[in-house]
Amino acid sequence: MTESELIWRISGGSGDGIASTSQNFAKALMRSGLHVFTHRHYPSRIRGGHTYTEIRASDEPVKSRGDGYNFLLALGDSFARNPQEDAYYGNEELKPLSENLDELREGGVIVYDSGLLDADEIEGFDRRVEENDWHVYPIDLRGMAREQGREVMRNTAGVGVTCALIGMDLEYIQDLMREAMPDKILEPNLEILQTAYEQVQEEHDPDAHDVRIPSGEHDEPQLLMSGSDAISYGAIDEGCRFISGYPMTPWTEVFTIMTQALSGLGGISEQVEDEIAAAALALGASHAGVKAMSGSSGGGFALMSEPLGLAEMTETPVVFVEAMRAGPSTGMPTKTEQGDLEHVLYTSQGDTHRVVFAPGTVEEAYDQTRTAFRIAYEYQIPAIVLYDQKLGGELISVPESTFDREPNPDLGSVLTEEELVDAPHNAAGKYERFQHDVEDGVSPRSLPGQKGGRFLATGNEHEPSGHISESPENRVAQVDRRSQKVEAIRAELDDEGNQTPHGPEDAEYGILTWGSQQGTVEEAVDELNAAGHSVKSLGVSDLTPYPVAEVEAFVESVEEVLVVEMNASAQFRGLTQKELGRYGEKLSSLLKYNGNPFEPADIVEGFESTMIDGNDDVPGIETTFVPAAGD
Amino acid sequence: MSAFNAIGEEREIDREEFTPGIEPQPTWCPGCGDFGVLKALKQALPEVGRTPEETLLVTGIGCSGKLNSYLDSYGFHTIHGRSLPVARAAKLANPGLEVIAAGGDGDGYGIGGNHFMHTARENHDMTYVVFNNEIFGLTKGQTSPTSPKGHKSKTQPHGSAKDPIRPLSLALTSGASYVARTAAVNPNQAKEILTEAIQHDGFAHVDFLTQCPTWNKDARQYVPYTDVQDSDDYDFDVHDRVEAQEAMRTAEEALYEGEVLTGRFYVDEGRPSYQEEKQRIGEMPETPLAERYFDDDYEWERAYDEFIDKHR
């Protein structure tokens, strides 16, 4: 954690433009040369209800939202005054201010819209301000915006006030507004921004507090990207031109981004009647010779399990993405969790095979989505990119070079008509598309329309030409061949090294994590080492085939391992124990499942309390410790 | 590469091309109506000039689902009720393919009912043949969505309390642009209707009455039929929605009262197919998507520059 970082939080009501305002401000901070990391918190409602976005900006690369924050812009919930809402949700008027005080750091700054909020109504507000040495600026943002005739523009006023108080030049915001806004609303917005900025400079003393914007410079051009963006662009660069889906939070983000991008590329997007259809469509498109994907979140993915099995049996390449949210059932639609791991690993009947990736960062989301397509089409197997609401939704500045943008239209193991002439055919002239003895278990495909390639794809067990067969010899040969593919994939992925080690190699303790918690764990590891502990971490991205050798070496090299994940049943720890076959006595779990991701402090606290002090109880109610269990 | 040479070539199609030599012989029971569908399809496909290579037959599960084991084209035997979504996407990905989907009444009107409604609504350019024998055959004789009210089976021992599905009416209201019913006992009409349905540019639904000699001897599928086009009693305009609706209602009620009415009930040549609609509004490329993957000259554009710019 650097001294010079700004962590800015904007709060208000859902529907008040918090997302768009914060996105622009994050981009302005990035353009000024800083690394940014954003975190969204929003309720499952369209309008009204407390929501906030946090932007962490630093001259050093940032991997998580950090611990707490130091600048609050509380806008007020303009929908909280709806009497009908009152009946359902109680009075929420004060929440944008009152709900955000706990995490505000000492010496932090509070700007609140005195046109909508009255701090006097918050019990103990003044006392807390004094105790924490907060600097409070009540400013009538609503009034300011109203003077220009548009009350909704109080967001802009808030940004102007922020810039004045942290010493940030307005030019980055102004440029963004000019790029994004139509003329009609551009002028009043620029006016409000300027007015707010000047008014604060005249009427307040920005030097009364210590929160300042750091200055930085990027080594190379940056892009502000979310995990959903990265997955989408990875798919597109890898040649995906067909997507089918049904809207469900948070998977909808990928669906939307892909749909819009594909329309410019001459691809096809289909929003269909349900997730069963969505998955089946992806299979149909792939069968016909197009790189295709589909996806959903937990409940929708449950419906896809049957087509998933069909893809496995017919060896139809396809990529699914699964965006986790808190379950079971509808769970918490806008809250994050890593509870679908076992669902994704084991859903579908029979001895099934699939490849599952869980990228840990935005950069990995891009790379591993590309890998997922490559593996799926080369080995004719479904590949799944498993991520969560946190990774999907947080915007992070990443080097533009992350996105190599080399298109790959290669369909993988498909024969040309010329090659089909020499390929094996059965006595009736059908191509033996599912041959028993082939290298790596991969029997190349033919595509409908190709001469000499006729075959039957079926979800039943089948002989080489595709025809249904219940012959015991054929059954064993086909099952063995399909399994053989997985071993070939394992060998290929082991060489790729998708797992991310962090910290000193000879550390005494290890933290094992997977997916979106990787960056947060790495920051915690740095803090722990700075505090005199000896810790390293491994972020695992290949979930199946599981990187046994690498994880085993990691576990062997340390005294004890803390497994950090966001679910209540330690699913990844269970998978690890199953795959490694032992080490149960070495693996303890730190779990969080309240809907919010880990923050570095959770992990630091949990580690010190459990690994060092030997307590079973972690302070605070947010996390749970499950001690090692033996094998 | 020349993956798609097979498509669009003009040549005489030999009926035998669709008949596998020593491939599996049908496992259907003697006297099963499914033989009638297979025969009609083998006759219709050469009529419309399609080669086995450019034909993709997508089926569901059940006796009907085995159809593509016995037709020598490309085939995709999917899962229960899901033939339509698979078929739809294959057609969108490669519109050069002749895509035919097939399934039974349980498969198509029961578990796949939602897909049926939506595929008809979108008017995909494909043919959908539903083998309607009013029974679940392969699972040994349970009540199906088209079994008559009061139908007794091991799973409905008191007799079904449900009214049967009205598939023709359902297809029409959902938006199918071609709706017909034929029967295995009428091979000539079956071949004619299938030929027409395949040639139709839009979603063509054929409710194909097939007798089940093993599990449903009571159904009317064996009895002589009346072709509504040939009958003065059922004079109506197949291009008129309202008249077609009335004719369908009559046909669907008559079936359970002992009279089997078959023929074309609704034909709308004017409604653009889903593919045409998508291309018109810019949601789908003019050249087949699948073909691009095989065209070495196709420039792999990265036209999402404008999207990347939004992230700067």
Side-chain angles (χ1 to χ4, degrees):
Chain A
M1 218 187 314
T2 70
E3 285 296 316
S4 58
E5 69 181 359
L6 169 75
I7 307 183
W8 183 79
R9 185 184 283 193
I10 178 173
S11 65
S14 213
D16 274 336
I18 304 293
S20 54
T21 307
S22 58
Q23 195 168 332
N24 269 329
F25 192 55
K27 208 181 272 185
L29 289 164
M30 179 180 82
R31 286 186 181 185
S32 81
L34 298 171
H35 298 273
V36 302
F37 189 107
T38 72
H39 166 78
R40 285 191 304 176
H41 174 102
Y42 60 107
S44 185
R45 285 163 66 182
I46 305 299
R47 296 197 146 188
H50 172 235
T51 175
Y52 69 78
T53 300
E54 209 172 86
I55 304 170
R56 184 180 181 198
S58 168
D59 54 343
E60 300 280 329
V62 279
K63 296 175 178 178
S64 82
R65 62 185 288 202
D67 297 312
Y69 69 106
N70 57 16
F71 193 114
L72 173 66
L73 172 62
L75 286 179
D77 182 346
S78 65
F79 301 100
R81 302 196 162 195
N82 179 348
Q84 207 182 344
E85 295 277 301
D86 264 10
Y88 285 110
Y89 302 108
N91 191 330
E92 302 198 313
E93 264 176 46
L94 289 172
K95 279 190 175 177
L97 185 54
S98 63
E99 291 283 299
N100 291 294
L101 298 176
D102 287 350
E103 290 165 305
L104 183 61
R105 292 181 188 170
E106 248 183 62
V109 174
I110 297 174
V111 174
Y112 71 87
D113 188 347
S114 55
L116 274 162
L117 299 164
D118 183 1
D120 290 343
E121 289 179 27
I122 299 172
E123 210 185 308
F125 183 74
D126 291 339
R127 176 181 49 79
R128 294 183 70 177
V129 167
E130 201 169 315
E131 279 170 12
N132 290 291
D133 189 25
W134 290 333
H135 301 266
V136 185
Y137 299 86
I139 296 176
D140 186 3
L141 301 171
R142 183 168 72 150
M144 223 182 259
R146 213 180 240 172
E147 272 172 33
Q148 303 291 336
R150 300 294 293 274
E151 195 178 307
V152 290
M153 294 176 187
R154 61 189 188 283
N155 291 334
T156 305
V159 171
V161 170
T162 302
C163 289
L165 287 174
I166 62 173
M168 183 175 174
D169 206 324
L170 285 184
E171 64 170 315
Y172 300 106
I173 300 281
Q174 288 163 337
D175 284 350
L176 276 162
M177 284 181 166
R178 287 191 192 101
E179 287 166 30
M181 288 180 175
D183 288 345
K184 212 171 96 188
I185 59 162
L186 176 64
E187 283 311 318
N189 266 297
L190 287 173
E191 192 74 22
I192 291 169
L193 185 74
Q194 192 71 36
T195 310
Y197 186 82
E198 284 167 6
Q199 192 173 320
V200 171
Q201 287 200 318
E202 281 164 24
E203 296 175 12
H204 299 277
D205 175 17
D207 291 332
H209 63 88
D210 295 329
V211 180
R212 286 288 168 279
I213 184 169
S215 66
E217 205 178 322
H218 294 300
D219 300 338
E220 51 175 319
Q222 304 278 308
L223 299 172
L224 191 66
M225 287 268 181
S226 69
S228 298
D229 291 320
I231 288 169
S232 303
Y233 297 134
I236 284 164
D237 281 347
E238 203 56 29
C240 175
R241 291 295 181 272
F242 187 97
I243 190 165
S244 45
Y246 187 89
M248 183 171 183
T249 303
W251 128 266
T252 313
E253 288 178 340
V254 164
F255 190 27
T256 309
I257 298 163
M258 285 290 289
T259 300
Q260 291 177 359
L262 282 181
S263 77
L265 290 160
I268 294 177
S269 169
E270 280 287 287
Q271 184 188 319
V272 295
E273 58 269 26
D274 58 36
E275 284 89 350
I276 309 176
L281 261 96
L283 261 61
S286 175
H287 183 74
V290 178
K291 285 192 187 169
M293 79 188 282
S294 184
S296 193
S297 295
F301 187 77
L303 293 185
M304 295 179 156
S305 65
E306 208 191 4
L308 175 73
L310 181 65
E312 294 173 4
M313 192 52 147
T314 57
E315 300 180 65
T316 306
V318 65
V319 173
F320 294 126
V321 299
E322 216 266 40
M324 290 179 282
R325 64 193 216 186
S329 193
T330 313
M332 297 199 282
T334 63
K335 298 288 174 263
T336 200
E337 196 165 278
Q338 294 179 305
D340 293 353
L341 172 61
E342 291 182 344
H343 175 45
V344 167
L345 288 179
Y346 307 124
T347 184
S348 189
Q349 68 274 31
D351 291 318
T352 54
H353 298 297
R354 69 204 64 175
V355 184
V356 183
F357 297 96
T361 62
V362 169
E363 286 99 323
E364 285 185 6
Y366 175 81
D367 288 340
Q368 288 169 19
T369 303
R370 295 199 66 159
T371 308
F373 270 94
R374 209 187 62 241
I375 298 283
Y377 279 78
E378 189 52 47
Y379 293 92
Q380 306 170 2
I381 194 168
I384 299 166
V385 179
L386 179 64
Y387 65 110
D388 58 18
Q389 188 264 356
K390 168 181 148 63
L391 179 60
E394 56 199 14
L395 288 162
I396 296 160
S397 54
V398 288
E400 194 175 334
S401 60
T402 306
F403 302 84
D404 73 7
R405 311 198 56 200
E406 273 303 313
N408 177 23
D410 185 10
L411 262 187
S413 48
V414 176
L415 295 184
T416 62
E417 288 191 344
E418 290 76 16
E419 289 164 336
L420 276 167
V421 174
D422 298 323
H425 288 73
N426 74 359
K430 279 202 168 168
Y431 166 51
E432 303 212 321
R433 184 252 176 276
F434 304 99
Q435 303 154 57
H436 290 152
D437 300 312
V438 278
E439 197 191 342
D440 288 350
V442 180
S443 182
R445 294 197 287 160
S446 61
L447 301 174
Q450 283 183 312
K451 272 185 184 165
R454 281 172 294 112
F455 74 97
L456 177 65
T458 170
N460 287 67
E461 187 57 273
H462 44 266
E463 59 187 37
S465 67
H467 284 295
I468 299 170
S469 165
E470 295 189 346
S471 138
E473 294 78 17
N474 176 73
R475 164 70 178 174
V476 171
Q478 293 290 20
V479 171
D480 289 351
R481 183 179 58 75
R482 289 193 294 264
S483 307
Q484 198 191 334
K485 294 198 291 187
V486 179
E487 290 318 307
I489 295 167
R490 187 193 299 277
E492 185 172 336
L493 289 180
D494 278 353
D495 288 343
E496 284 210 0
N498 284 325
Q499 283 51 255
T500 315
H502 182 79
E505 220 168 280
D506 59 351
E508 193 183 344
Y509 292 98
I511 299 181
L512 195 60
T513 193
W514 67 283
S516 70
Q517 298 312 290
Q518 188 175 302
T520 315
V521 164
E522 288 176 5
E523 289 205 343
V525 165
D526 290 345
E527 283 181 41
L528 285 165
N529 285 310
H533 301 295
S534 173
V535 193
K536 64 178 177 178
S537 67
L538 186 68
V540 176
S541 295
D542 295 346
L543 298 179
T544 181
Y546 192 86
V548 173
E550 198 171 346
V551 177
E552 194 165 73
F554 178 82
V555 175
E556 287 268 9
S557 71
V558 292
E559 292 289 316
E560 272 182 76
V561 176
L562 189 64
V563 187
V564 172
E565 59 185 314
M566 294 188 294
N567 58 62
S569 51
Q571 296 182 19
F572 179 69
R573 174 180 165 187
L575 173 69
T576 302
Q577 262 175 254
K578 179 188 158 200
E579 291 285 343
L580 300 189
R582 56 196 184 100
Y583 299 114
E585 80 290 351
K586 259 179 134 169
L587 308 178
S588 301
S589 280
L590 189 64
L591 308 170
K592 188 169 180 180
Y593 44 91
N594 67 354
N596 298 315
F598 278 101
E599 288 157 34
D602 292 329
I603 299 164
V604 169
E605 222 170 75
F607 179 87
E608 286 181 336
S609 164
T610 58
M611 297 281 109
I612 306 298
D613 301 338
N615 299 330
D616 277 6
D617 283 330
V618 198
I621 53 158
E622 304 274 292
T623 53
T624 303
F625 176 68
V626 182
D631 282 323
Chain B
M1 284 183 262
S2 51
F4 289 84
N5 286 0
I7 289 176
E9 264 180 25
E10 296 269 330
R11 66 185 181 97
E12 283 286 303
I13 313 295
D14 185 347
R15 185 169 300 176
E16 295 307 310
E17 284 191 44
F18 286 92
T19 307
I22 57 153
E23 294 271 15
Q25 290 307 299
T27 53
W28 298 320
C29 308
C32 172
D34 293 5
F35 287 103
V37 186
L38 179 62
K39 190 175 165 204
L41 205 53
K42 281 181 179 172
Q43 290 174 334
L45 280 162
E47 283 297 309
V48 296
R50 286 306 200 166
T51 67
E53 273 101 2
E54 53 193 10
T55 306
L56 176 63
L57 179 59
V58 186
T59 58
I61 297 290
C63 296
S64 62
K66 293 186 172 175
L67 182 71
N68 46 17
S69 294
Y70 317 128
L71 186 90
D72 210 4
S73 66
Y74 275 96
F76 202 144
H77 179 212
T78 65
I79 37 182
H80 204 33
R82 317 297 167 204
S83 63
L84 285 174
V86 172
R88 264 149 67 178
K91 182 70 180 182
L92 289 175
N94 188 355
L97 293 172
E98 188 62 63
V99 176
I100 299 165
D105 41 279
D107 188 86
Y109 305 144
I111 189 167
N114 194 22
H115 307 312
F116 176 48
M117 203 164 76
H118 286 274
T119 313
R121 167 169 86 104
E122 292 168 0
N123 199 33
H124 287 267
D125 180 16
M126 61 167 67
T127 307
Y128 186 37
V129 185
V130 182
F131 299 39
N132 183 358
N133 58 8
E134 299 177 13
I135 199 83
F136 281 107
L138 202 56
T139 49
K140 304 194 173 179
Q142 297 81 12
T143 306
S144 99
T146 49
S147 302
K149 194 170 184 178
H151 178 266
K152 283 191 178 180
S153 69
K154 282 180 186 166
T155 52
Q156 310 265 281
H158 302 287
S160 171
K162 302 171 192 180
D163 260 339
I165 288 273
R166 309 269 198 261
L168 305 175
S169 303
L170 184 60
L172 182 78
T173 12
S174 301
S177 52
Y178 183 99
V179 186
R181 168 177 274 173
T182 188
V185 293
N186 317 321
N188 292 336
Q189 188 203 43
K191 174 197 159 188
E192 246 176 61
I193 281 184
L194 279 187
T195 307
E196 216 177 81
I198 294 168
Q199 282 169 332
H200 177 75
D201 186 16
F203 186 69
H205 168 234
V206 180
D207 186 60
F208 206 120
L209 301 176
T210 53
Q211 65 275 13
C212 179
T214 305
W215 298 108
N216 201 13
K217 293 187 179 68
D218 298 336
R220 311 298 304 168
Q221 270 62 337
Y222 300 99
V223 305
Y225 71 104
T226 307
D227 186 329
V228 293
Q229 258 77 46
D230 295 343
S231 166
D232 292 339
D233 296 345
Y234 298 99
D235 180 40
F236 67 99
D237 180 359
V238 294
H239 305 295
D240 186 309
R241 250 188 122 72
V242 179
E243 288 189 29
Q245 183 101 55
E246 180 60 28
M248 286 176 185
R249 199 180 59 81
T250 308
E252 285 170 332
E253 277 172 14
L255 182 65
Y256 298 103
E257 285 160 10
E259 190 183 10
V260 180
L261 306 179
T262 64
R264 297 155 196 82
F265 287 91
Y266 184 63
V267 180
D268 179 359
E269 301 287 3
R271 187 180 171 201
S273 71
Y274 185 55
Q275 171 195 332
E276 286 164 346
E277 290 280 15
K278 265 181 99 79
Q279 286 176 337
R280 186 178 61 76
I281 61 167
E283 265 193 11
M284 184 174 161
E286 292 291 330
T287 48
L289 206 47
E291 202 167 316
R292 293 185 170 191
Y293 281 87
F294 291 89
D295 185 353
D296 287 341
D297 299 329
Y298 179 72
E299 195 188 331
W300 277 82
E301 288 181 47
R302 280 149 288 167
Y304 67 100
D305 281 351
E306 54 177 309
F307 286 94
I308 292 288
D309 279 344
K310 285 183 190 161
H311 299 277
R312 284 179 214 282

